Amino acid sequence: GLEVFGTYETMSGITMTDANTRFNQLALEGLYYLGEKRNFFGGIRYNNVHDTENDISVNRFQVGAGWYLIPSVLIKAEYVNQRYYNSSIYGENAGFNGFMIETAVSF
């Protein structure tokens, strides 16, 4: 019942104002499914995006659990902690943390 995902991306280029730009992103996720029909799961996720030209970064950490009520309806609860470092847009060390509950219906 264990699933693990990972992504590493890098991007570089020139902005519309002719400034150099370069970003790196790292994303890791692990899910573990439970139940006879694998309709319950717990998971953890980490994501980091770093602007190497301006030394600005965003870190996001999530941990949660979910239940597929039926295959097309998901109910889940998560704790999220997201921080912005050295951001001139959002302020020094801005961010948020807290709990969220959501329902998703797929069709």
Side-chain angles (χ1 to χ4, degrees), residues 22-38:
R22 182 178 183 90
F23 286 89
N24 296 323
Q25 175 174 253
L26 172 67
L28 302 169
E29 180 176 20
L31 296 171
Y32 190 79
Y33 289 90
L34 304 162
E36 187 176 311
K37 298 180 182 179
R38 291 179 48 138

Side-chain angles (χ1 to χ4, degrees), residues 1-5 29-34 38 40-44:
L2 179 64
E3 294 182 1
V4 178
F5 305 94
E29 180 176 20
L31 296 171
Y32 190 79
Y33 289 90
L34 304 162
R38 291 179 48 138
F40 297 97
F41 69 89
I44 190 167

Side-chain angles (χ1 to χ4, degrees), residues 5 11 29 33 36 47 54 68-69 72-73 94 96:
F5 305 94
M11 179 283 265
E29 180 176 20
Y33 289 90
E36 187 176 311
N47 190 255
N54 299 301
Y68 283 97
L69 200 59
S72 60
V73 177
F96 63 90

Side-chain angles (χ1 to χ4, degrees), residues 14-94:
I14 299 174
T15 67
M16 292 176 62
T17 59
D18 290 329
N20 289 328
T21 186
R22 182 178 183 90
F23 286 89
N24 296 323
Q25 175 174 253
L26 172 67
L28 302 169
E29 180 176 20
L31 296 171
Y32 190 79
Y33 289 90
L34 304 162
E36 187 176 311
K37 298 180 182 179
R38 291 179 48 138
N39 55 332
F40 297 97
F41 69 89
I44 190 167
R45 179 182 301 146
Y46 173 77
N47 190 255
N48 173 271
V49 177
H50 185 224
D51 175 349
T52 60
E53 293 292 322
N54 299 301
D55 195 29
I56 299 170
S57 64
V58 180
N59 289 334
R60 184 178 181 113
F61 172 77
Q62 292 175 249
V63 61
W67 172 33
Y68 283 97
L69 200 59
I70 58 176
S72 60
V73 177
L74 169 65
I75 299 170
K76 70 178 182 175
E78 291 184 313
Y79 168 75
V80 180
N81 186 334
Q82 182 164 316
R83 293 283 175 246
Y84 300 82
Y85 297 96
N86 301 322
S87 173
S88 61
I89 297 170
Y90 298 112
E92 181 66 26
N93 297 328

